[in-house]
Amino acid sequence: MNFQLLHPRDQLVAIMNRIYHSGLTTLSGGNLSILDDNGDIWITPAGVDKGKLTPQDIMCVSVDGRITGPHRPSSELPFHRAIYAARPDLRAIVHAHPPALVSFSIARKVPETAVIPQVHRICGPVGYAPYALTGSEQLGQVIADTFGAGNNSVMLENHGAVTAGDTLLGAFERLETLEFGARTLIRANTLGQINVLTEEELALFDQPSATLPEFSPTTHTSQERDLRQQIADTVQRAVARQLMLSTEGVVSARLDADSFLITPSGQDRGTLTIEDVVLVRQGKREKGKTPSRSTLLHQAIYAAQPEINCITMAQSPNVMAYATTGTPFDSRTIPESYIWLRRMPLVAYETFYTQPQAIAAIVSLNTPVILVQNDCALVAAKNILQAFDRLEVAEYSARSLIDTAVIGPLIPIGDQEIRELEIAFSLT
């Protein structure tokens, strides 16, 4: 689906639904707007339940100041106007009160984005706007001045955050990604010293992936169609469960000895469809589609590990707290965690980007989950459902481990019990 072809009313409702139902704002908090080509501002209303917003609720403020719609425009209309005036390149604005970003705003700090390359590149430099009265022209001016300095993501002192972009989807992705980064930092701070990436390390992320030649499939087997649907469903589920971001996360599935399916590059994970999934066969990509930047890594793993039929790469805040601090992840918490996760090695950030064969030699069904320093969790499995289960267990286990510190030290399952699990579930 081409999100940009939707009417501004429908875009605003769709994104507000995603913001509210993913826990990024409250019933009354936050506002969104789109600047139309003719200069009209379409904006969410004041005093309307954000969880039940309809296209009919959206307000339109025309260039001449005329207001159309059944409600009052958001009380924050002044800062939306001011941002558009200061930055003519911006066409959409998102303001919300995500819990982790509110934590940073009331501590009067800006999240460090260079901890995870995707966060750094999507959010850009994060500005800081001093406090001013909600809905006032003064607030509009201080926020507009901060955007005018070149920032696309701005922390509001004691107020939350504002992000903007050339599309509403892009502005939302910035907010979602910045909140993920903030949650990761908060969780990581309970574990130890956070590793901040250098400019040289960040540059590895920017290297273009190898361009594969194209081919045109002539048929689509029932197995391929089934796997396409499983991939699309799993990615959307992972986004809903906050195991992936709208901009990041990869799922691939082996089709046969010479081919596999993989998620595309640069497409919204929250609305992924079977048509978006890319077929890769004998080192060639399906015509007209761009597969994930990690396609060559997946190809290397499938070639080296014939028992692996699915690979998932994802970022979730509790797992990433371990990846960004290098703290050992002890899966000996409950039987399910050890059975699904085993021992989870940490792979160096640079190795992940420069040595795909080394990664392919590490991951296996006996070492099904690896943490990549400052980047992601990579999960291997026999099938897509098993890979998703492992990913979910990893995030829940990481959360439990971090929360355990408030109660007392971890008391892991004993060595004898681990041996019994390994025998009972053929883990050796």
Side-chain angles (χ1 to χ4, degrees):
M1 178 184 71
N2 187 341
F3 189 76
Q4 291 307 111
L5 292 180
L6 294 177
H7 190 279
R9 290 192 186 97
D10 298 300
Q11 290 189 42
L12 291 165
V13 169
I15 294 301
M16 184 57 85
N17 277 335
R18 287 174 72 167
I19 289 173
Y20 180 77
H21 291 291
S22 57
L24 299 181
T25 202
T26 60
L27 179 153
S28 59
N31 36 81
L32 322 177
S33 74
I34 294 173
L35 178 64
D36 216 341
D37 290 339
N38 61 5
D40 292 343
I41 296 176
W42 298 85
I43 191 166
T44 50
V48 175
D49 182 353
K50 300 298 190 295
K52 296 183 177 180
L53 205 63
T54 69
Q56 290 69 38
D57 292 317
I58 301 302
M59 304 297 294
C60 181
V61 182
S62 64
V63 179
D64 61 9
R66 183 168 43 89
I67 297 173
T68 306
H71 310 286
R72 292 180 295 108
S74 167
S75 61
E76 303 288 18
L77 174 62
F79 83 59
H80 288 254
R81 277 177 163 158
I83 292 171
Y84 290 132
R87 289 281 303 278
D89 58 311
L90 298 177
R91 312 293 290 185
I93 296 166
V94 172
H95 167 52
H97 307 145
L101 290 176
V102 168
S103 294
F104 273 86
S105 81
I106 61 181
R108 301 190 176 183
K109 293 184 177 181
V110 172
E112 171 59 75
T113 61
V115 170
I116 300 170
Q118 294 89 337
V119 176
H120 191 66
R121 293 306 188 236
I122 291 169
C123 298
V126 180
Y128 184 87
Y131 181 83
L133 178 65
T134 296
S136 67
E137 296 292 340
Q138 181 188 2
L139 178 62
Q141 193 57 57
V142 297
I143 297 176
D145 288 346
T146 313
F147 275 97
N151 303 294
N152 293 326
S153 305
V154 174
M155 294 297 301
L156 307 184
E157 187 173 281
N158 290 82
H159 193 166
V162 180
T163 56
D166 56 0
T167 67
L168 184 63
L169 184 59
F172 162 71
E173 289 170 349
R174 282 200 172 103
L175 180 81
E176 178 194 44
T177 303
L178 191 60
E179 168 70 1
F180 155 72
R183 276 187 289 150
T184 299
L185 289 170
I186 291 170
R187 305 300 275 171
N189 267 298
T190 69
L191 294 176
Q193 183 67 37
I194 298 171
N195 180 55
V196 178
L197 298 171
T198 65
E199 283 299 326
E200 291 75 16
E201 289 171 324
L202 288 166
L204 291 173
F205 175 77
D206 296 327
Q207 292 179 358
S209 55
T211 302
L212 301 178
E214 293 186 334
F215 81 103
S216 297
T218 55
T219 60
H220 300 282
T221 66
S222 296
Q223 180 192 8
E224 177 192 333
R225 298 177 195 196
D226 180 48
L227 287 175
R228 283 180 181 270
Q229 189 66 63
Q230 287 187 53
I231 289 173
D233 291 346
T234 298
V235 170
Q236 289 194 33
R237 185 176 180 180
V239 172
R241 298 284 282 171
Q242 298 186 348
L243 301 172
M244 289 183 183
L245 298 172
S246 300
T247 53
E248 296 297 332
V250 182
V251 175
S252 72
R254 187 196 296 272
L255 188 58
D256 53 47
D258 298 321
S259 57
F260 60 93
L261 295 159
I262 194 166
T263 45
S265 176
Q267 288 187 237
D268 175 25
R269 270 65 172 167
T271 56
L272 195 76
T273 67
I274 58 174
E275 292 87 358
D276 298 322
V277 177
V278 186
L279 176 62
V280 177
R281 176 171 292 157
Q282 296 179 336
K284 298 180 180 180
R285 61 187 168 96
E286 189 175 352
K287 186 175 182 180
K289 297 182 179 181
T290 304
S292 164
R293 291 158 48 97
S294 63
T295 295
L296 295 183
L297 172 60
H298 288 237
Q299 185 171 273
I301 294 173
Y302 287 129
Q305 307 289 349
E307 76 282 5
I308 292 174
N309 293 317
C310 179
I311 302 164
T312 296
M313 292 163 49
Q315 297 171 326
S316 53
N318 291 284
V319 167
M320 288 305 296
Y322 282 87
T324 55
T325 60
T327 302
F329 190 119
D330 193 340
S331 64
R332 298 173 300 163
T333 55
I334 60 175
E336 181 192 43
S337 293
Y338 186 77
I339 290 167
W340 280 120
L341 306 178
R342 320 285 175 80
R343 293 173 175 85
M344 298 165 53
L346 179 69
V347 174
Y349 176 84
E350 184 174 348
T351 301
F352 179 69
Y353 282 98
T354 61
Q355 301 178 46
Q357 299 302 331
I359 303 297
I362 295 171
V363 67
S364 70
L365 292 185
N366 288 323
T367 308
V369 183
I370 63 174
L371 298 183
V372 179
Q373 183 186 35
N374 289 79
D375 195 278
C376 70
L378 187 150
V379 177
K382 293 181 180 179
N383 56 57
I384 294 173
L385 183 63
Q386 189 182 82
F388 180 84
D389 195 6
R390 279 202 170 111
L391 178 64
E392 199 167 44
V393 169
E395 175 63 6
Y396 275 57
S397 298
R399 179 177 175 179
S400 295
L401 281 164
I402 293 171
D403 289 346
T404 297
V406 179
I407 305 167
L410 165 68
I411 303 174
I413 298 173
D415 292 343
Q416 177 60 35
E417 288 77 16
I418 290 294
R419 283 191 290 272
E420 290 172 354
L421 283 173
E422 290 176 340
I423 293 169
F425 290 89
S426 303
L427 303 183
T428 56

